[in-house]
């Protein structure tokens, strides 16, 4: 007998799991999630830093964060599983008037959209958060106390466990190798090159379905190509370096972002987790940690927090993962233009964990209702790239 599903979701990371959860919550549970790995979380989700913030530059990202952070704050109660949301805040530190003006402009937009608690802070305020920070060149910053961290693996598991309770199926160890399409009715009538989805080919056989959600993270462009669709999502390596236990910094402090270099850090257990976006990194499926990165990041760390020069680092505990980058650093959510029944929820450009609640909800709304009242979803359509409607997000970490 041919396997059938109302919706097939390709990828069981935090985004695919959230889509499954939101579909099931809306009453659509004949859903099959397909994951090629033997366990969930082997893609970008398991590599993430777990940061969540509403301090963004564009309205669409701010709105998605507001929905998502509120969701995280109620996650345990609503989903019945811990999200480990810690509202420790994000502290942006500006060292130039240009950066400070940028933070002020963003703050006005954030407040107008309902983020009431984002504060302008002075150099002295910043020094109180982390007294060990070098602040001689800092001109000010912003702090939002409801920004913070979650446990990405736990959020992903919570979404999937609840979805499965509602009847969603998950096939692990199963690779999607093709998406079957046939000419759509519109295509047949107009001779346009449009197709519609009829099923998915996998290492466990064929599944008949009219709806496929591409939640394949950094591999999303390959999956789109299986249906003959173009998707401008590229993998870009990001590397994180944890220190050994380090007591010279406070036990609790916000995520601190040094805007002069992009270096940022937060506490992770007894140690400190160091992050920096290497501008020399080039796109590609590079998932190995490069040991030469340790020296580069420690130089930035010690320049902003001199006592971090004493931190011990074991490069074998550092790791690399892939961001899924789009040309305007915003997600792509919504139907594929020329393939009826194919939906994208991809290209989070470093924000897929924090925006997972909103992206799952928007995708489920679009599939089941054709629109979402959370945001004007056409802004995130892949069509924007062909129509010159790019959304530039400059607050990318
Ligand atoms: C170092 C690092 C730090 C980060 N820090 C943050 C942060 O602080 N905050 C934040 O919000 N985001 C952060 N991100 C980004 C975030 O992790 C991602 O945006 C998010 O995890 C994407 O989730 P996903 O479910 O779309 O993708 P993934 O977790 O990659 O899941 C995709 C799944 O699809 C499966 N798959 C792919 N192709 C196929 C196929 N053909 N058949 C079957 N299965 C397939 C893969 O095996 C994978 O499990 C970070 C990323 C990295 C690398």
């Amino acid at each position: 007998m041919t396997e059938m599903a109302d919706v097939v979701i390709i990828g069981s990371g935090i985004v695919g799991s959230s889509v499954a959860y939101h579909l099931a919550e809306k009453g659509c549970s004949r859903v099959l999630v397909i994951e090629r790995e033997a366990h969930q979380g082997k893609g970008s989700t398991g590599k993430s830093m777990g940061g969540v913030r509403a301090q963004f530059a564009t309205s669409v990202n701010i709105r998605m964060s507001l929905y998502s952070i509120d969701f995280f704050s109620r996650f345990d109660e609503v989903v019945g599983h811990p999200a480990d949301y810690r509202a420790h805040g994000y502290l942006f530190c500006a060292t130039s008037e240009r950066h400070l003006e940028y933070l002020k402009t963003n703050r006005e937009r954030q407040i107008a959209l309902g983020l009431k608690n984002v504060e302008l802070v002075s150099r002295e305020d910043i020094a109180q958060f982390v007294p060990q920070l070098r602040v001689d060149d800092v001109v000010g910053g912003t702090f939002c106390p409801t920004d913070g961290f979650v446990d990405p693996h736990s959020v992903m598991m919570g979404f999937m466990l609840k979805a499965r309770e509602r009847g969603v199926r998950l096939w692990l160890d199963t690779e999607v190798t093709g998406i079957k399409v046939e000419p759509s009715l519109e295509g047949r009538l107009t001779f346009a090159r449009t197709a519609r989805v009829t099923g998915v080919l996998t290492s466990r056989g064929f599944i008949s379905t009219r709806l496929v959600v591409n939640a394949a993270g950094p591999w999303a462009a390959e999956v789109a190509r299986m249906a003959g669709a173009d998707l401008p999502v590229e993998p870009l390596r990001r590397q994180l370096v944890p220190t050994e236990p380090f007591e010279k910094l406070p036990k609790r402090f916000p995520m601190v972002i040094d805007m002069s270099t992009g270096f940022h850090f937060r506490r992770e257990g007894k140690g400190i987790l160091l992050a920096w976006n290497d501008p020399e990194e080039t796109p590609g499926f590079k998932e190995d940690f490069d040991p030469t990165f340790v020296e580069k990041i420690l130089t930035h760390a010690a320049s902003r927090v001199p006592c971090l020069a004493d931190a011990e680092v074991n490069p074998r505990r550092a790791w690399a993962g892939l961001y899924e980058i789009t040309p305007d650093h915003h997600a792509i959510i919504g139907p594929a233009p020329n393939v009826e029944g194919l939906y994208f929820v991809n290209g989070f450009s470093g924000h897929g964990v924090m925006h997972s609640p909103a992206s799952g909800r928007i995708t489920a709304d679009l599939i089941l209702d054709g629109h979402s009242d959370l945001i004007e979803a056409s802004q995130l359509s892949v069509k924007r790239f062909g129509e010159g409607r790019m959304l530039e997000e400059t607050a990318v970490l």
Side-chain angles (χ1 to χ4, degrees), residues 121-183:
V121 287
S122 65
R123 175 195 299 172
E124 292 69 30
D125 298 329
I126 290 174
Q128 282 191 1
F129 281 107
V130 185
Q132 296 79 358
L133 209 67
R134 181 176 63 78
V135 290
D136 55 337
D137 57 348
V138 171
V139 292
T142 51
F143 173 69
C144 178
T146 42
D147 289 347
F149 325 113
V150 293
D151 176 340
H153 193 266
S154 194
V155 170
M156 175 189 70
M157 293 309 287
F159 277 138
M160 187 56 82
L161 286 170
K162 195 71 179 182
R164 291 177 79 182
E165 268 176 32
R166 300 248 188 276
V168 168
R169 291 182 298 156
L170 168 65
W171 285 4
L172 296 170
D173 246 335
T174 309
E175 176 151 20
V176 172
T177 52
I179 298 175
K180 203 166 166 215
V181 296
E182 64 176 25

Side-chain angles (χ1 to χ4, degrees), residues 11 14-15 35-36 44-45 48-49 51 176 218 324 350-354:
I14 200 164
V15 172
E35 171 57 57
R36 67 179 166 201
S44 300
T45 301
S48 168
M49 200 174 183
V176 172
E324 335 84 54
H351 314 138
V353 165
M354 65 182 90

Side-chain angles (χ1 to χ4, degrees), residues 9-17 34-37 39-53 56 90 148-150 152 156 171 174-178 214-220 222-223 226 236-240 255 264 266 275 319-324 345-356 397:
I9 299 173
I10 305 173
S12 71
I14 200 164
V15 172
S17 300
I34 302 189
E35 171 57 57
R36 67 179 166 201
E37 299 288 349
H39 304 285
Q40 284 184 258
K42 302 267 253 179
S44 300
T45 301
K47 310 289 169 53
S48 168
M49 200 174 183
V52 300
R53 65 180 159 111
F56 274 106
Y90 262 57
F149 325 113
V150 293
M156 175 189 70
W171 285 4
T174 309
E175 176 151 20
V176 172
T177 52
N214 179 352
W219 302 275
E222 289 173 8
V223 166
M226 291 178 189
L236 185 68
R237 179 167 64 177
R238 287 301 306 261
Q239 311 191 80
L240 296 180
M255 177 84 90
H264 49 293
R266 70 167 172 85
W319 70 91
L322 299 169
Y323 267 20
E324 335 84 54
V345 55
N346 305 114
F348 288 91
S349 306
H351 314 138
V353 165
M354 65 182 90
H355 286 163
S356 60
L397 294 178

